[in-house]
Amino acid sequence: MRTDLYYCTGTGNSLWIARTLAGRLGAGRVSPMRPAAGEVSGSGADAIGIVFPVHIWGLPQRVIAFVESLVPNPARYHFAVAVNAGQVAATLVQLERLMAKRGMALAAGFEIAMPSNYIPWGGPGPREKQQARFDGATRKIERIAAAVSAREELPVEKGPRWQNVLFSLLYRLSFRQVPRMDGSFWVDEKCNACGVCTAICPSGNIALAAERPRWLHRCEQCFACIQWCPQEAIQLGKKTPQYERYRHPEVMLREMLAAAAPPEGGG
Ligand SMILES: Cc1cc2nc3c(=O)[nH]c(=O)nc-3n(C[C@H](O)[C@H](O)[C@H](O)COP(=O)(O)O)c2cc1C
């Protein structure tokens, strides 16, 4: 029995959860999520788990592309962890439907609340609250590991009905705008053209032009650029100069850079 885990992440929460869960499951690979059907279908794992952040109450485009690239295998067990900041809404229902359309069953879908990286609404909150979420996540990971080890089939976790209806509508309205939402990023005078933003962006959406980052409108809104900028020079709208940045405390910049780099041999 082998479980492989695939993750995407902006600020390390999903990476940390995937890594911790892999440790509890005691086996398998932990890889950044890339639409790479050959790799996944040929991996030999009999279970696949996908771990990703909830974005605007739904699935990030990267998750959709990844699922669409999976070669269906009815014998394989699939599960997901939707990492969020308190509002998972109907994200896992959306995933369940997407997988069903592709001829795959989502056996179990779990949500885990972590500190928020949605900086336009403020920083991640006080340290004690962040720690409470890390502790809650650690407990939940134990339960997920037990369920996955037993190959349990469970209903997907979701928010209250009003949230699912309203927020799914907002998701549908905003989804197509996401690539161009990078129009609100700007840099202040602290930018020293270090290039971390260009290297950490998983979609290769940032170029340095005249020693300043330029966003190319294929943004995934993961917020890696604004949250990991060593100078805190990247801003979004008017208020972020005052807001604290967030990165998972046990995830290192070099791990984020390695995850964003194209795989060896291209792709
Ligand atoms: C563009 C964007 C949209 C988000 N939308 C939601 C949301 O709808 N519900 C929620 O609970 N958290 C939302 N968040 C917060 C993240 O899901 C949450 O902080 C998550 O733990 C980040 O995981 P990561 O570090 O792996 O990227 C959003 C974050 C971003 C950047």
Side-chain angles (χ1 to χ4, degrees), residues 67-101:
V67 170
E68 288 180 342
S69 78
L70 282 175
V71 177
N73 172 356
R76 197 168 54 203
Y77 176 88
H78 302 97
F79 71 98
V81 183
V83 184
N84 63 89
Q87 291 184 341
V88 68
T91 305
L92 289 160
V93 178
Q94 184 194 0
L95 179 61
E96 190 171 41
R97 288 187 186 143
L98 177 69
M99 291 184 68
K101 248 197 223 164

PDB file of all heavy atoms in Angstrom, residues 67-101:
ATOM      1  N   VAL A  67      -6.393  17.735 -11.350  1.00  0.00           N
ATOM      2  CA  VAL A  67      -7.407  16.660 -11.360  1.00  0.00           C
ATOM      3  C   VAL A  67      -7.725  16.264 -12.801  1.00  0.00           C
ATOM      4  O   VAL A  67      -7.856  15.076 -13.117  1.00  0.00           O
ATOM      5  CB  VAL A  67      -8.677  17.101 -10.599  1.00  0.00           C
ATOM      6  CG1 VAL A  67      -9.820  16.120 -10.808  1.00  0.00           C
ATOM      7  CG2 VAL A  67      -8.369  17.252  -9.120  1.00  0.00           C
ATOM      8  N   GLU A  68      -7.807  17.270 -13.664  1.00  0.00           N
ATOM      9  CA  GLU A  68      -8.139  16.960 -15.060  1.00  0.00           C
ATOM     10  C   GLU A  68      -7.026  16.187 -15.745  1.00  0.00           C
ATOM     11  O   GLU A  68      -7.256  15.523 -16.752  1.00  0.00           O
ATOM     12  CB  GLU A  68      -8.471  18.259 -15.813  1.00  0.00           C
ATOM     13  CG  GLU A  68      -9.820  18.793 -15.357  1.00  0.00           C
ATOM     14  CD  GLU A  68     -10.251  20.078 -16.032  1.00  0.00           C
ATOM     15  OE1 GLU A  68      -9.372  20.760 -16.605  1.00  0.00           O
ATOM     16  OE2 GLU A  68     -11.460  20.388 -15.970  1.00  0.00           O
ATOM     17  N   SER A  69      -5.837  16.248 -15.187  1.00  0.00           N
ATOM     18  CA  SER A  69      -4.711  15.529 -15.806  1.00  0.00           C
ATOM     19  C   SER A  69      -4.574  14.096 -15.273  1.00  0.00           C
ATOM     20  O   SER A  69      -3.799  13.311 -15.806  1.00  0.00           O
ATOM     21  CB  SER A  69      -3.412  16.294 -15.564  1.00  0.00           C
ATOM     22  OG  SER A  69      -2.963  16.065 -14.246  1.00  0.00           O
ATOM     23  N   LEU A  70      -5.307  13.778 -14.210  1.00  0.00           N
ATOM     24  CA  LEU A  70      -5.187  12.426 -13.642  1.00  0.00           C
ATOM     25  C   LEU A  70      -5.799  11.398 -14.580  1.00  0.00           C
ATOM     26  O   LEU A  70      -6.889  11.617 -15.119  1.00  0.00           O
ATOM     27  CB  LEU A  70      -5.941  12.345 -12.309  1.00  0.00           C
ATOM     28  CG  LEU A  70      -5.299  12.942 -11.070  1.00  0.00           C
ATOM     29  CD1 LEU A  70      -6.285  12.863  -9.902  1.00  0.00           C
ATOM     30  CD2 LEU A  70      -4.020  12.229 -10.709  1.00  0.00           C
ATOM     31  N   VAL A  71      -5.112  10.307 -14.757  1.00  0.00           N
ATOM     32  CA  VAL A  71      -5.685   9.207 -15.540  1.00  0.00           C
ATOM     33  C   VAL A  71      -6.543   8.386 -14.587  1.00  0.00           C
ATOM     34  O   VAL A  71      -6.038   7.892 -13.580  1.00  0.00           O
ATOM     35  CB  VAL A  71      -4.562   8.338 -16.152  1.00  0.00           C
ATOM     36  CG1 VAL A  71      -5.150   7.143 -16.896  1.00  0.00           C
ATOM     37  CG2 VAL A  71      -3.686   9.183 -17.061  1.00  0.00           C
ATOM     38  N   PRO A  72      -7.865   8.289 -14.863  1.00  0.00           N
ATOM     39  CA  PRO A  72      -8.727   7.584 -13.914  1.00  0.00           C
ATOM     40  C   PRO A  72      -8.279   6.143 -13.686  1.00  0.00           C
ATOM     41  O   PRO A  72      -7.854   5.477 -14.621  1.00  0.00           O
ATOM     42  CB  PRO A  72     -10.110   7.625 -14.583  1.00  0.00           C
ATOM     43  CG  PRO A  72     -10.036   8.733 -15.566  1.00  0.00           C
ATOM     44  CD  PRO A  72      -8.613   8.825 -16.009  1.00  0.00           C
ATOM     45  N   ASN A  73      -8.366   5.742 -12.438  1.00  0.00           N
ATOM     46  CA  ASN A  73      -8.020   4.362 -12.072  1.00  0.00           C
ATOM     47  C   ASN A  73      -8.995   3.946 -10.972  1.00  0.00           C
ATOM     48  O   ASN A  73      -8.867   4.382  -9.835  1.00  0.00           O
ATOM     49  CB  ASN A  73      -6.566   4.324 -11.581  1.00  0.00           C
ATOM     50  CG  ASN A  73      -6.194   2.974 -11.014  1.00  0.00           C
ATOM     51  OD1 ASN A  73      -7.025   2.070 -10.907  1.00  0.00           O
ATOM     52  ND2 ASN A  73      -4.926   2.824 -10.660  1.00  0.00           N
ATOM     53  N   PRO A  74      -9.995   3.143 -11.305  1.00  0.00           N
ATOM     54  CA  PRO A  74     -11.056   2.826 -10.345  1.00  0.00           C
ATOM     55  C   PRO A  74     -10.538   2.109  -9.098  1.00  0.00           C
ATOM     56  O   PRO A  74     -11.174   2.147  -8.042  1.00  0.00           O
ATOM     57  CB  PRO A  74     -12.001   1.904 -11.126  1.00  0.00           C
ATOM     58  CG  PRO A  74     -11.485   1.829 -12.520  1.00  0.00           C
ATOM     59  CD  PRO A  74     -10.166   2.501 -12.603  1.00  0.00           C
ATOM     60  N   ALA A  75      -9.375   1.493  -9.190  1.00  0.00           N
ATOM     61  CA  ALA A  75      -8.856   0.757  -8.027  1.00  0.00           C
ATOM     62  C   ALA A  75      -8.170   1.690  -7.028  1.00  0.00           C
ATOM     63  O   ALA A  75      -7.841   1.292  -5.916  1.00  0.00           O
ATOM     64  CB  ALA A  75      -7.864  -0.291  -8.507  1.00  0.00           C
ATOM     65  N   ARG A  76      -7.935   2.945  -7.444  1.00  0.00           N
ATOM     66  CA  ARG A  76      -7.161   3.860  -6.587  1.00  0.00           C
ATOM     67  C   ARG A  76      -8.076   4.589  -5.607  1.00  0.00           C
ATOM     68  O   ARG A  76      -9.194   4.959  -5.954  1.00  0.00           O
ATOM     69  CB  ARG A  76      -6.429   4.858  -7.488  1.00  0.00           C
ATOM     70  CG  ARG A  76      -5.301   5.582  -6.827  1.00  0.00           C
ATOM     71  CD  ARG A  76      -4.470   6.322  -7.876  1.00  0.00           C
ATOM     72  NE  ARG A  76      -5.295   7.184  -8.694  1.00  0.00           N
ATOM     73  CZ  ARG A  76      -4.949   7.583  -9.931  1.00  0.00           C
ATOM     74  NH1 ARG A  76      -3.825   7.202 -10.474  1.00  0.00           N
ATOM     75  NH2 ARG A  76      -5.747   8.374 -10.612  1.00  0.00           N
ATOM     76  N   TYR A  77      -7.584   4.809  -4.406  1.00  0.00           N
ATOM     77  CA  TYR A  77      -8.318   5.551  -3.366  1.00  0.00           C
ATOM     78  C   TYR A  77      -7.892   7.023  -3.458  1.00  0.00           C
ATOM     79  O   TYR A  77      -6.696   7.328  -3.453  1.00  0.00           O
ATOM     80  CB  TYR A  77      -7.943   4.953  -2.016  1.00  0.00           C
ATOM     81  CG  TYR A  77      -8.516   5.628  -0.791  1.00  0.00           C
ATOM     82  CD1 TYR A  77      -9.763   5.265  -0.289  1.00  0.00           C
ATOM     83  CD2 TYR A  77      -7.776   6.593  -0.104  1.00  0.00           C
ATOM     84  CE1 TYR A  77     -10.269   5.856   0.873  1.00  0.00           C
ATOM     85  CE2 TYR A  77      -8.274   7.188   1.047  1.00  0.00           C
ATOM     86  CZ  TYR A  77      -9.527   6.814   1.525  1.00  0.00           C
ATOM     87  OH  TYR A  77     -10.012   7.409   2.659  1.00  0.00           O
ATOM     88  N   HIS A  78      -8.883   7.927  -3.552  1.00  0.00           N
ATOM     89  CA  HIS A  78      -8.574   9.365  -3.634  1.00  0.00           C
ATOM     90  C   HIS A  78      -9.132  10.086  -2.415  1.00  0.00           C
ATOM     91  O   HIS A  78     -10.294   9.872  -2.059  1.00  0.00           O
ATOM     92  CB  HIS A  78      -9.218  10.005  -4.870  1.00  0.00           C
ATOM     93  CG  HIS A  78      -8.812   9.395  -6.158  1.00  0.00           C
ATOM     94  ND1 HIS A  78      -9.553   8.451  -6.819  1.00  0.00           N
ATOM     95  CD2 HIS A  78      -7.711   9.597  -6.926  1.00  0.00           C
ATOM     96  CE1 HIS A  78      -8.939   8.098  -7.933  1.00  0.00           C
ATOM     97  NE2 HIS A  78      -7.822   8.777  -8.023  1.00  0.00           N
ATOM     98  N   PHE A  79      -8.334  10.958  -1.846  1.00  0.00           N
ATOM     99  CA  PHE A  79      -8.847  11.813  -0.774  1.00  0.00           C
ATOM    100  C   PHE A  79      -8.242  13.204  -0.918  1.00  0.00           C
ATOM    101  O   PHE A  79      -7.273  13.395  -1.668  1.00  0.00           O
ATOM    102  CB  PHE A  79      -8.563  11.216   0.614  1.00  0.00           C
ATOM    103  CG  PHE A  79      -7.115  11.266   1.015  1.00  0.00           C
ATOM    104  CD1 PHE A  79      -6.630  12.279   1.834  1.00  0.00           C
ATOM    105  CD2 PHE A  79      -6.223  10.304   0.558  1.00  0.00           C
ATOM    106  CE1 PHE A  79      -5.291  12.334   2.192  1.00  0.00           C
ATOM    107  CE2 PHE A  79      -4.877  10.352   0.908  1.00  0.00           C
ATOM    108  CZ  PHE A  79      -4.419  11.352   1.734  1.00  0.00           C
ATOM    109  N   ALA A  80      -8.849  14.177  -0.219  1.00  0.00           N
ATOM    110  CA  ALA A  80      -8.382  15.566  -0.342  1.00  0.00           C
ATOM    111  C   ALA A  80      -8.417  16.257   1.010  1.00  0.00           C
ATOM    112  O   ALA A  80      -9.225  15.906   1.883  1.00  0.00           O
ATOM    113  CB  ALA A  80      -9.272  16.320  -1.331  1.00  0.00           C
ATOM    114  N   VAL A  81      -7.529  17.240   1.153  1.00  0.00           N
ATOM    115  CA  VAL A  81      -7.553  18.113   2.332  1.00  0.00           C
ATOM    116  C   VAL A  81      -7.629  19.552   1.815  1.00  0.00           C
ATOM    117  O   VAL A  81      -6.714  20.022   1.120  1.00  0.00           O
ATOM    118  CB  VAL A  81      -6.298  17.928   3.211  1.00  0.00           C
ATOM    119  CG1 VAL A  81      -6.401  18.808   4.463  1.00  0.00           C
ATOM    120  CG2 VAL A  81      -6.097  16.473   3.600  1.00  0.00           C
ATOM    121  N   ALA A  82      -8.730  20.231   2.137  1.00  0.00           N
ATOM    122  CA  ALA A  82      -8.917  21.628   1.727  1.00  0.00           C
ATOM    123  C   ALA A  82      -8.485  22.507   2.900  1.00  0.00           C
ATOM    124  O   ALA A  82      -9.150  22.566   3.936  1.00  0.00           O
ATOM    125  CB  ALA A  82     -10.383  21.871   1.372  1.00  0.00           C
ATOM    126  N   VAL A  83      -7.359  23.183   2.723  1.00  0.00           N
ATOM    127  CA  VAL A  83      -6.760  23.995   3.787  1.00  0.00           C
ATOM    128  C   VAL A  83      -7.344  25.392   3.679  1.00  0.00           C
ATOM    129  O   VAL A  83      -7.377  25.978   2.587  1.00  0.00           O
ATOM    130  CB  VAL A  83      -5.223  24.008   3.627  1.00  0.00           C
ATOM    131  CG1 VAL A  83      -4.572  24.754   4.765  1.00  0.00           C
ATOM    132  CG2 VAL A  83      -4.698  22.574   3.540  1.00  0.00           C
ATOM    133  N   ASN A  84      -7.826  25.928   4.771  1.00  0.00           N
ATOM    134  CA  ASN A  84      -8.583  27.179   4.685  1.00  0.00           C
ATOM    135  C   ASN A  84      -8.302  28.041   5.906  1.00  0.00           C
ATOM    136  O   ASN A  84      -7.492  27.691   6.759  1.00  0.00           O
ATOM    137  CB  ASN A  84     -10.076  26.864   4.535  1.00  0.00           C
ATOM    138  CG  ASN A  84     -10.624  26.123   5.740  1.00  0.00           C
ATOM    139  OD1 ASN A  84     -11.069  26.728   6.702  1.00  0.00           O
ATOM    140  ND2 ASN A  84     -10.547  24.781   5.715  1.00  0.00           N
ATOM    141  N   ALA A  85      -9.028  29.168   5.973  1.00  0.00           N
ATOM    142  CA  ALA A  85      -8.867  30.069   7.116  1.00  0.00           C
ATOM    143  C   ALA A  85     -10.183  30.168   7.886  1.00  0.00           C
ATOM    144  O   ALA A  85     -10.445  31.164   8.548  1.00  0.00           O
ATOM    145  CB  ALA A  85      -8.404  31.435   6.637  1.00  0.00           C
ATOM    146  N   GLY A  86     -11.029  29.173   7.746  1.00  0.00           N
ATOM    147  CA  GLY A  86     -12.281  29.153   8.504  1.00  0.00           C
ATOM    148  C   GLY A  86     -13.524  29.055   7.647  1.00  0.00           C
ATOM    149  O   GLY A  86     -14.628  28.911   8.170  1.00  0.00           O
ATOM    150  N   GLN A  87     -13.375  29.149   6.318  1.00  0.00           N
ATOM    151  CA  GLN A  87     -14.554  29.083   5.445  1.00  0.00           C
ATOM    152  C   GLN A  87     -14.282  28.156   4.266  1.00  0.00           C
ATOM    153  O   GLN A  87     -13.967  28.600   3.165  1.00  0.00           O
ATOM    154  CB  GLN A  87     -14.920  30.472   4.944  1.00  0.00           C
ATOM    155  CG  GLN A  87     -15.448  31.367   6.055  1.00  0.00           C
ATOM    156  CD  GLN A  87     -15.908  32.712   5.547  1.00  0.00           C
ATOM    157  OE1 GLN A  87     -15.543  33.145   4.467  1.00  0.00           O
ATOM    158  NE2 GLN A  87     -16.719  33.395   6.347  1.00  0.00           N
ATOM    159  N   VAL A  88     -14.434  26.868   4.499  1.00  0.00           N
ATOM    160  CA  VAL A  88     -14.203  25.906   3.410  1.00  0.00           C
ATOM    161  C   VAL A  88     -15.353  25.952   2.408  1.00  0.00           C
ATOM    162  O   VAL A  88     -15.182  25.637   1.227  1.00  0.00           O
ATOM    163  CB  VAL A  88     -13.994  24.484   3.976  1.00  0.00           C
ATOM    164  CG1 VAL A  88     -15.273  23.929   4.586  1.00  0.00           C
ATOM    165  CG2 VAL A  88     -13.491  23.532   2.903  1.00  0.00           C
ATOM    166  N   ALA A  89     -16.550  26.354   2.888  1.00  0.00           N
ATOM    167  CA  ALA A  89     -17.762  26.414   2.054  1.00  0.00           C
ATOM    168  C   ALA A  89     -17.922  25.104   1.259  1.00  0.00           C
ATOM    169  O   ALA A  89     -17.737  24.028   1.818  1.00  0.00           O
ATOM    170  CB  ALA A  89     -17.758  27.657   1.171  1.00  0.00           C
ATOM    171  N   ALA A  90     -18.226  25.204  -0.031  1.00  0.00           N
ATOM    172  CA  ALA A  90     -18.538  23.987  -0.808  1.00  0.00           C
ATOM    173  C   ALA A  90     -17.354  23.526  -1.660  1.00  0.00           C
ATOM    174  O   ALA A  90     -17.530  22.818  -2.648  1.00  0.00           O
ATOM    175  CB  ALA A  90     -19.754  24.244  -1.683  1.00  0.00           C
ATOM    176  N   THR A  91     -16.141  23.904  -1.257  1.00  0.00           N
ATOM    177  CA  THR A  91     -14.955  23.573  -2.063  1.00  0.00           C
ATOM    178  C   THR A  91     -14.830  22.073  -2.337  1.00  0.00           C
ATOM    179  O   THR A  91     -14.532  21.650  -3.452  1.00  0.00           O
ATOM    180  CB  THR A  91     -13.689  24.063  -1.319  1.00  0.00           C
ATOM    181  OG1 THR A  91     -13.829  25.454  -1.042  1.00  0.00           O
ATOM    182  CG2 THR A  91     -12.448  23.828  -2.147  1.00  0.00           C
ATOM    183  N   LEU A  92     -15.073  21.265  -1.296  1.00  0.00           N
ATOM    184  CA  LEU A  92     -14.884  19.819  -1.485  1.00  0.00           C
ATOM    185  C   LEU A  92     -16.037  19.189  -2.263  1.00  0.00           C
ATOM    186  O   LEU A  92     -15.859  18.152  -2.899  1.00  0.00           O
ATOM    187  CB  LEU A  92     -14.681  19.150  -0.118  1.00  0.00           C
ATOM    188  CG  LEU A  92     -13.317  19.495   0.508  1.00  0.00           C
ATOM    189  CD1 LEU A  92     -13.312  19.246   2.010  1.00  0.00           C
ATOM    190  CD2 LEU A  92     -12.189  18.706  -0.159  1.00  0.00           C
ATOM    191  N   VAL A  93     -17.192  19.841  -2.224  1.00  0.00           N
ATOM    192  CA  VAL A  93     -18.308  19.386  -3.068  1.00  0.00           C
ATOM    193  C   VAL A  93     -17.935  19.639  -4.531  1.00  0.00           C
ATOM    194  O   VAL A  93     -18.142  18.797  -5.410  1.00  0.00           O
ATOM    195  CB  VAL A  93     -19.613  20.126  -2.695  1.00  0.00           C
ATOM    196  CG1 VAL A  93     -20.755  19.704  -3.603  1.00  0.00           C
ATOM    197  CG2 VAL A  93     -19.958  19.913  -1.226  1.00  0.00           C
ATOM    198  N   GLN A  94     -17.350  20.813  -4.779  1.00  0.00           N
ATOM    199  CA  GLN A  94     -16.897  21.145  -6.140  1.00  0.00           C
ATOM    200  C   GLN A  94     -15.878  20.111  -6.624  1.00  0.00           C
ATOM    201  O   GLN A  94     -15.944  19.632  -7.761  1.00  0.00           O
ATOM    202  CB  GLN A  94     -16.258  22.544  -6.133  1.00  0.00           C
ATOM    203  CG  GLN A  94     -15.832  23.025  -7.506  1.00  0.00           C
ATOM    204  CD  GLN A  94     -14.906  24.251  -7.446  1.00  0.00           C
ATOM    205  OE1 GLN A  94     -14.574  24.757  -6.366  1.00  0.00           O
ATOM    206  NE2 GLN A  94     -14.487  24.716  -8.607  1.00  0.00           N
ATOM    207  N   LEU A  95     -14.965  19.735  -5.742  1.00  0.00           N
ATOM    208  CA  LEU A  95     -13.940  18.754  -6.116  1.00  0.00           C
ATOM    209  C   LEU A  95     -14.569  17.384  -6.395  1.00  0.00           C
ATOM    210  O   LEU A  95     -14.221  16.709  -7.368  1.00  0.00           O
ATOM    211  CB  LEU A  95     -12.893  18.642  -4.997  1.00  0.00           C
ATOM    212  CG  LEU A  95     -11.777  17.638  -5.243  1.00  0.00           C
ATOM    213  CD1 LEU A  95     -10.967  17.990  -6.479  1.00  0.00           C
ATOM    214  CD2 LEU A  95     -10.854  17.551  -4.020  1.00  0.00           C
ATOM    215  N   GLU A  96     -15.500  17.018  -5.528  1.00  0.00           N
ATOM    216  CA  GLU A  96     -16.175  15.719  -5.694  1.00  0.00           C
ATOM    217  C   GLU A  96     -16.859  15.658  -7.070  1.00  0.00           C
ATOM    218  O   GLU A  96     -16.758  14.668  -7.793  1.00  0.00           O
ATOM    219  CB  GLU A  96     -17.215  15.590  -4.582  1.00  0.00           C
ATOM    220  CG  GLU A  96     -17.831  14.246  -4.442  1.00  0.00           C
ATOM    221  CD  GLU A  96     -18.688  14.185  -3.161  1.00  0.00           C
ATOM    222  OE1 GLU A  96     -19.399  15.179  -2.861  1.00  0.00           O
ATOM    223  OE2 GLU A  96     -18.641  13.163  -2.478  1.00  0.00           O
ATOM    224  N   ARG A  97     -17.517  16.761  -7.443  1.00  0.00           N
ATOM    225  CA  ARG A  97     -18.233  16.800  -8.734  1.00  0.00           C
ATOM    226  C   ARG A  97     -17.252  16.759  -9.904  1.00  0.00           C
ATOM    227  O   ARG A  97     -17.480  16.082 -10.893  1.00  0.00           O
ATOM    228  CB  ARG A  97     -19.090  18.064  -8.827  1.00  0.00           C
ATOM    229  CG  ARG A  97     -20.288  17.951  -7.912  1.00  0.00           C
ATOM    230  CD  ARG A  97     -21.240  19.127  -8.120  1.00  0.00           C
ATOM    231  NE  ARG A  97     -22.309  19.063  -7.139  1.00  0.00           N
ATOM    232  CZ  ARG A  97     -22.863  20.102  -6.541  1.00  0.00           C
ATOM    233  NH1 ARG A  97     -22.456  21.324  -6.836  1.00  0.00           N
ATOM    234  NH2 ARG A  97     -23.825  19.940  -5.670  1.00  0.00           N
ATOM    235  N   LEU A  98     -16.172  17.523  -9.762  1.00  0.00           N
ATOM    236  CA  LEU A  98     -15.164  17.550 -10.831  1.00  0.00           C
ATOM    237  C   LEU A  98     -14.591  16.150 -11.047  1.00  0.00           C
ATOM    238  O   LEU A  98     -14.441  15.688 -12.185  1.00  0.00           O
ATOM    239  CB  LEU A  98     -14.041  18.528 -10.437  1.00  0.00           C
ATOM    240  CG  LEU A  98     -12.861  18.631 -11.389  1.00  0.00           C
ATOM    241  CD1 LEU A  98     -13.272  19.295 -12.702  1.00  0.00           C
ATOM    242  CD2 LEU A  98     -11.724  19.437 -10.743  1.00  0.00           C
ATOM    243  N   MET A  99     -14.311  15.461  -9.949  1.00  0.00           N
ATOM    244  CA  MET A  99     -13.732  14.124 -10.071  1.00  0.00           C
ATOM    245  C   MET A  99     -14.743  13.147 -10.664  1.00  0.00           C
ATOM    246  O   MET A  99     -14.386  12.306 -11.499  1.00  0.00           O
ATOM    247  CB  MET A  99     -13.224  13.648  -8.715  1.00  0.00           C
ATOM    248  CG  MET A  99     -12.005  14.456  -8.284  1.00  0.00           C
ATOM    249  SD  MET A  99     -11.249  13.906  -6.769  1.00  0.00           S
ATOM    250  CE  MET A  99     -10.584  12.348  -7.249  1.00  0.00           C
ATOM    251  N   ALA A 100     -16.003  13.291 -10.253  1.00  0.00           N
ATOM    252  CA  ALA A 100     -17.045  12.394 -10.784  1.00  0.00           C
ATOM    253  C   ALA A 100     -17.147  12.567 -12.298  1.00  0.00           C
ATOM    254  O   ALA A 100     -17.271  11.591 -13.043  1.00  0.00           O
ATOM    255  CB  ALA A 100     -18.372  12.680 -10.101  1.00  0.00           C
ATOM    256  N   LYS A 101     -17.063  13.817 -12.748  1.00  0.00           N
ATOM    257  CA  LYS A 101     -17.113  14.083 -14.193  1.00  0.00           C
ATOM    258  C   LYS A 101     -15.986  13.382 -14.929  1.00  0.00           C
ATOM    259  O   LYS A 101     -16.109  13.025 -16.090  1.00  0.00           O
ATOM    260  CB  LYS A 101     -16.956  15.603 -14.417  1.00  0.00           C
ATOM    261  CG  LYS A 101     -18.198  16.273 -14.939  1.00  0.00           C
ATOM    262  CD  LYS A 101     -17.817  17.628 -15.502  1.00  0.00           C
ATOM    263  CE  LYS A 101     -18.823  18.656 -15.074  1.00  0.00           C
ATOM    264  NZ  LYS A 101     -18.339  20.017 -15.247  1.00  0.00           N
TER     265      LYS A 101
END
